[in-house]
Amino acid sequence: MKVILASDHAGIELRQELVALLKERGTEFQDLGPQTRESVDYPDFASRVAQQVVSEPGTLGVLVCGTGIGMSIVANKHRGIRAALCTSEFEARMTRAHNDANVLCLGQRVVGAGVARGILEAFLSTAFEGGRHEKRVQKIRDVEAQQR
Ligand code: RB5
């Protein structure tokens, strides 16, 4: 499993915390930044992660901004991305198991570091259940296919 992550300036500290967790658990990752605290635009970083997740099937993305909302809006504009904004471990487990979410979005101004670590752990350790959920995920792909 490989994780691609990025944040904007409002998510740097939480992103660093999540990088620490990925190192502790020995998970391969690529950190797309930003590396300085200068103000940046979350759509740029959301798109970089989304494009890489789409081009490398099986990888999972993690995006952090102030609320996680902007990142999730942008990521979900990309065909093939199912981004989930989570504030609890329960949501993270369910979105992997039922929605086959491939990008986790978090808000540094919303969840503390400990909660966020638990959310990421739940996201990474839960597999898509398939079965009746496969048909529903396929319907998401059908909606995407209808867009020009
Ligand atoms: C940056 O101030 C903030 O707008 C951004 O991090 C994010 O919360 C947007 O959704």
Short mmCIF file of all heavy atoms in Angstrom, two decimals, residues 50-86:
data_model
loop_
_atom_site.label_atom_id
_atom_site.label_comp_id
_atom_site.label_asym_id
_atom_site.label_seq_id
_atom_site.Cartn_x
_atom_site.Cartn_y
_atom_site.Cartn_z
N ALA A 50 -4.92 13.95 -6.19
CA ALA A 50 -5.98 13.23 -6.94
C ALA A 50 -5.41 12.64 -8.22
O ALA A 50 -5.67 11.47 -8.54
CB ALA A 50 -7.12 14.19 -7.25
N GLN A 51 -4.63 13.42 -8.96
CA GLN A 51 -4.08 12.92 -10.23
C GLN A 51 -3.16 11.73 -9.99
O GLN A 51 -3.17 10.77 -10.75
CB GLN A 51 -3.32 14.05 -10.94
CG GLN A 51 -4.27 15.03 -11.62
CD GLN A 51 -3.63 16.37 -11.94
OE1 GLN A 51 -2.43 16.56 -11.74
NE2 GLN A 51 -4.43 17.30 -12.41
N GLN A 52 -2.40 11.78 -8.92
CA GLN A 52 -1.48 10.67 -8.67
C GLN A 52 -2.23 9.41 -8.21
O GLN A 52 -1.87 8.30 -8.59
CB GLN A 52 -0.43 11.08 -7.63
CG GLN A 52 0.76 10.16 -7.70
CD GLN A 52 2.02 10.81 -7.20
OE1 GLN A 52 2.17 12.04 -7.28
NE2 GLN A 52 2.91 10.02 -6.67
N VAL A 53 -3.27 9.60 -7.40
CA VAL A 53 -4.05 8.44 -6.96
C VAL A 53 -4.74 7.78 -8.16
O VAL A 53 -4.77 6.56 -8.29
CB VAL A 53 -5.08 8.84 -5.88
CG1 VAL A 53 -6.09 7.74 -5.61
CG2 VAL A 53 -4.35 9.22 -4.58
N VAL A 54 -5.25 8.59 -9.06
CA VAL A 54 -5.90 8.05 -10.25
C VAL A 54 -4.89 7.32 -11.15
O VAL A 54 -5.18 6.25 -11.69
CB VAL A 54 -6.61 9.17 -11.05
CG1 VAL A 54 -7.03 8.70 -12.43
CG2 VAL A 54 -7.83 9.66 -10.28
N SER A 55 -3.68 7.86 -11.24
CA SER A 55 -2.70 7.25 -12.15
C SER A 55 -2.01 6.04 -11.55
O SER A 55 -1.38 5.27 -12.26
CB SER A 55 -1.67 8.29 -12.60
OG SER A 55 -0.86 8.64 -11.51
N GLU A 56 -2.11 5.86 -10.24
CA GLU A 56 -1.49 4.69 -9.60
C GLU A 56 -2.57 3.92 -8.84
O GLU A 56 -2.74 4.10 -7.64
CB GLU A 56 -0.40 5.12 -8.60
CG GLU A 56 0.85 5.68 -9.23
CD GLU A 56 1.89 6.06 -8.18
OE1 GLU A 56 2.12 5.29 -7.23
OE2 GLU A 56 2.44 7.17 -8.29
N PRO A 57 -3.33 3.06 -9.55
CA PRO A 57 -4.42 2.33 -8.88
C PRO A 57 -3.90 1.57 -7.65
O PRO A 57 -2.81 1.01 -7.67
CB PRO A 57 -4.91 1.37 -9.97
CG PRO A 57 -4.54 2.02 -11.25
CD PRO A 57 -3.24 2.74 -10.97
N GLY A 58 -4.70 1.60 -6.60
CA GLY A 58 -4.30 0.92 -5.36
C GLY A 58 -3.70 1.86 -4.34
O GLY A 58 -3.61 1.54 -3.16
N THR A 59 -3.27 3.06 -4.80
CA THR A 59 -2.75 4.02 -3.84
C THR A 59 -3.92 4.74 -3.17
O THR A 59 -5.03 4.81 -3.70
CB THR A 59 -1.84 5.09 -4.49
OG1 THR A 59 -2.62 5.78 -5.47
CG2 THR A 59 -0.63 4.48 -5.15
N LEU A 60 -3.66 5.26 -1.98
CA LEU A 60 -4.67 6.04 -1.26
C LEU A 60 -4.13 7.44 -1.03
O LEU A 60 -2.92 7.63 -0.83
CB LEU A 60 -4.98 5.38 0.09
CG LEU A 60 -5.66 4.00 0.02
CD1 LEU A 60 -5.75 3.38 1.41
CD2 LEU A 60 -7.04 4.10 -0.62
N GLY A 61 -5.01 8.43 -1.07
CA GLY A 61 -4.60 9.82 -0.86
C GLY A 61 -5.05 10.34 0.50
O GLY A 61 -6.06 9.87 1.04
N VAL A 62 -4.29 11.28 1.02
CA VAL A 62 -4.66 11.96 2.26
C VAL A 62 -4.46 13.46 2.04
O VAL A 62 -3.38 13.88 1.60
CB VAL A 62 -3.81 11.50 3.46
CG1 VAL A 62 -4.15 12.30 4.71
CG2 VAL A 62 -3.99 10.01 3.73
N LEU A 63 -5.50 14.24 2.31
CA LEU A 63 -5.45 15.69 2.09
C LEU A 63 -5.88 16.41 3.36
O LEU A 63 -6.91 16.06 3.96
CB LEU A 63 -6.40 16.07 0.95
CG LEU A 63 -5.93 15.65 -0.44
CD1 LEU A 63 -7.09 15.75 -1.44
CD2 LEU A 63 -4.77 16.54 -0.89
N VAL A 64 -5.12 17.42 3.75
CA VAL A 64 -5.45 18.18 4.96
C VAL A 64 -5.51 19.67 4.62
O VAL A 64 -4.57 20.21 4.02
CB VAL A 64 -4.38 17.97 6.07
CG1 VAL A 64 -4.85 18.62 7.36
CG2 VAL A 64 -4.07 16.49 6.28
N CYS A 65 -6.60 20.31 4.99
CA CYS A 65 -6.65 21.77 4.95
C CYS A 65 -7.27 22.22 6.27
O CYS A 65 -7.34 21.45 7.23
CB CYS A 65 -7.39 22.29 3.72
SG CYS A 65 -9.14 21.90 3.59
N GLY A 66 -7.71 23.46 6.35
CA GLY A 66 -8.25 23.94 7.62
C GLY A 66 -9.46 23.14 8.06
O GLY A 66 -9.56 22.68 9.20
N THR A 67 -10.39 22.97 7.15
CA THR A 67 -11.62 22.23 7.45
C THR A 67 -11.67 20.85 6.81
O THR A 67 -12.50 20.02 7.21
CB THR A 67 -12.84 23.00 6.92
OG1 THR A 67 -12.68 23.15 5.49
CG2 THR A 67 -12.98 24.37 7.57
N GLY A 68 -10.88 20.63 5.78
CA GLY A 68 -10.97 19.41 4.98
C GLY A 68 -12.01 19.54 3.87
O GLY A 68 -12.06 18.73 2.95
N ILE A 69 -12.83 20.59 3.95
CA ILE A 69 -13.95 20.72 3.00
C ILE A 69 -13.46 21.10 1.61
O ILE A 69 -13.84 20.47 0.61
CB ILE A 69 -14.98 21.76 3.51
CG1 ILE A 69 -15.62 21.27 4.82
CG2 ILE A 69 -16.07 21.98 2.45
CD1 ILE A 69 -16.50 22.32 5.50
N GLY A 70 -12.61 22.12 1.54
CA GLY A 70 -12.11 22.54 0.23
C GLY A 70 -11.39 21.40 -0.48
O GLY A 70 -11.60 21.16 -1.67
N MET A 71 -10.54 20.70 0.27
CA MET A 71 -9.81 19.57 -0.32
C MET A 71 -10.78 18.52 -0.85
O MET A 71 -10.58 17.98 -1.95
CB MET A 71 -8.90 18.93 0.73
CG MET A 71 -7.71 19.79 1.13
SD MET A 71 -6.56 20.00 -0.26
CE MET A 71 -5.07 20.50 0.62
N SER A 72 -11.83 18.23 -0.09
CA SER A 72 -12.76 17.18 -0.53
C SER A 72 -13.55 17.62 -1.76
O SER A 72 -13.79 16.82 -2.67
CB SER A 72 -13.69 16.74 0.61
OG SER A 72 -14.51 17.81 1.02
N ILE A 73 -13.92 18.88 -1.81
CA ILE A 73 -14.65 19.37 -2.98
C ILE A 73 -13.81 19.22 -4.24
O ILE A 73 -14.26 18.68 -5.26
CB ILE A 73 -15.07 20.85 -2.79
CG1 ILE A 73 -16.15 20.96 -1.70
CG2 ILE A 73 -15.57 21.45 -4.11
CD1 ILE A 73 -16.49 22.39 -1.30
N VAL A 74 -12.55 19.65 -4.15
CA VAL A 74 -11.68 19.58 -5.34
C VAL A 74 -11.37 18.13 -5.71
O VAL A 74 -11.48 17.76 -6.89
CB VAL A 74 -10.36 20.35 -5.10
CG1 VAL A 74 -9.44 20.22 -6.30
CG2 VAL A 74 -10.65 21.82 -4.80
N ALA A 75 -11.00 17.33 -4.73
CA ALA A 75 -10.63 15.94 -5.03
C ALA A 75 -11.77 15.22 -5.73
O ALA A 75 -11.56 14.46 -6.68
CB ALA A 75 -10.23 15.22 -3.75
N ASN A 76 -13.00 15.48 -5.28
CA ASN A 76 -14.15 14.78 -5.87
C ASN A 76 -14.51 15.26 -7.27
O ASN A 76 -15.39 14.67 -7.91
CB ASN A 76 -15.35 14.86 -4.93
CG ASN A 76 -15.27 13.79 -3.85
OD1 ASN A 76 -14.95 12.64 -4.13
ND2 ASN A 76 -15.53 14.17 -2.61
N LYS A 77 -13.87 16.32 -7.75
CA LYS A 77 -14.07 16.74 -9.15
C LYS A 77 -13.28 15.85 -10.10
O LYS A 77 -13.50 15.90 -11.32
CB LYS A 77 -13.60 18.19 -9.37
CG LYS A 77 -14.32 19.24 -8.55
CD LYS A 77 -15.72 19.45 -9.05
CE LYS A 77 -16.42 20.53 -8.22
NZ LYS A 77 -17.87 20.48 -8.40
N HIS A 78 -12.34 15.07 -9.56
CA HIS A 78 -11.49 14.24 -10.41
C HIS A 78 -12.12 12.88 -10.63
O HIS A 78 -12.49 12.20 -9.67
CB HIS A 78 -10.11 14.08 -9.77
CG HIS A 78 -9.30 15.34 -9.78
ND1 HIS A 78 -8.28 15.55 -10.68
CD2 HIS A 78 -9.39 16.46 -9.02
CE1 HIS A 78 -7.76 16.75 -10.47
NE2 HIS A 78 -8.41 17.33 -9.47
N ARG A 79 -12.22 12.50 -11.90
CA ARG A 79 -12.81 11.20 -12.25
C ARG A 79 -11.99 10.08 -11.62
O ARG A 79 -10.76 10.06 -11.74
CB ARG A 79 -12.81 11.06 -13.78
CG ARG A 79 -13.62 9.92 -14.28
CD ARG A 79 -13.84 10.04 -15.77
NE ARG A 79 -14.68 11.20 -16.08
CZ ARG A 79 -15.32 11.37 -17.24
NH1 ARG A 79 -15.20 10.48 -18.18
NH2 ARG A 79 -16.05 12.43 -17.43
N GLY A 80 -12.68 9.19 -10.92
CA GLY A 80 -11.98 8.06 -10.30
C GLY A 80 -11.67 8.29 -8.84
O GLY A 80 -11.24 7.37 -8.13
N ILE A 81 -11.88 9.52 -8.38
CA ILE A 81 -11.64 9.82 -6.96
C ILE A 81 -12.93 9.74 -6.18
O ILE A 81 -13.97 10.26 -6.58
CB ILE A 81 -11.02 11.23 -6.80
CG1 ILE A 81 -9.60 11.27 -7.38
CG2 ILE A 81 -11.01 11.65 -5.32
CD1 ILE A 81 -8.59 10.36 -6.71
N ARG A 82 -12.86 9.04 -5.05
CA ARG A 82 -13.95 9.03 -4.08
C ARG A 82 -13.34 9.53 -2.77
O ARG A 82 -12.72 8.76 -2.03
CB ARG A 82 -14.56 7.62 -3.95
CG ARG A 82 -15.33 7.19 -5.20
CD ARG A 82 -15.84 5.78 -5.11
NE ARG A 82 -14.74 4.83 -4.96
CZ ARG A 82 -13.97 4.42 -5.98
NH1 ARG A 82 -14.17 4.85 -7.21
NH2 ARG A 82 -12.98 3.56 -5.75
N ALA A 83 -13.46 10.83 -2.56
CA ALA A 83 -12.83 11.46 -1.39
C ALA A 83 -13.85 11.60 -0.27
O ALA A 83 -14.99 11.99 -0.50
CB ALA A 83 -12.29 12.84 -1.77
N ALA A 84 -13.43 11.27 0.94
CA ALA A 84 -14.31 11.32 2.11
C ALA A 84 -13.72 12.22 3.18
O ALA A 84 -12.57 12.04 3.60
CB ALA A 84 -14.54 9.92 2.66
N LEU A 85 -14.51 13.20 3.59
CA LEU A 85 -14.12 14.07 4.71
C LEU A 85 -14.58 13.39 5.99
O LEU A 85 -15.78 13.16 6.18
CB LEU A 85 -14.81 15.43 4.54
CG LEU A 85 -14.70 16.42 5.70
CD1 LEU A 85 -13.24 16.71 6.02
CD2 LEU A 85 -15.44 17.70 5.36
N CYS A 86 -13.64 13.04 6.83
CA CYS A 86 -13.98 12.26 8.04
C CYS A 86 -13.59 13.00 9.32
O CYS A 86 -12.54 13.63 9.39
CB CYS A 86 -13.26 10.92 8.02
SG CYS A 86 -13.79 9.83 6.68
#
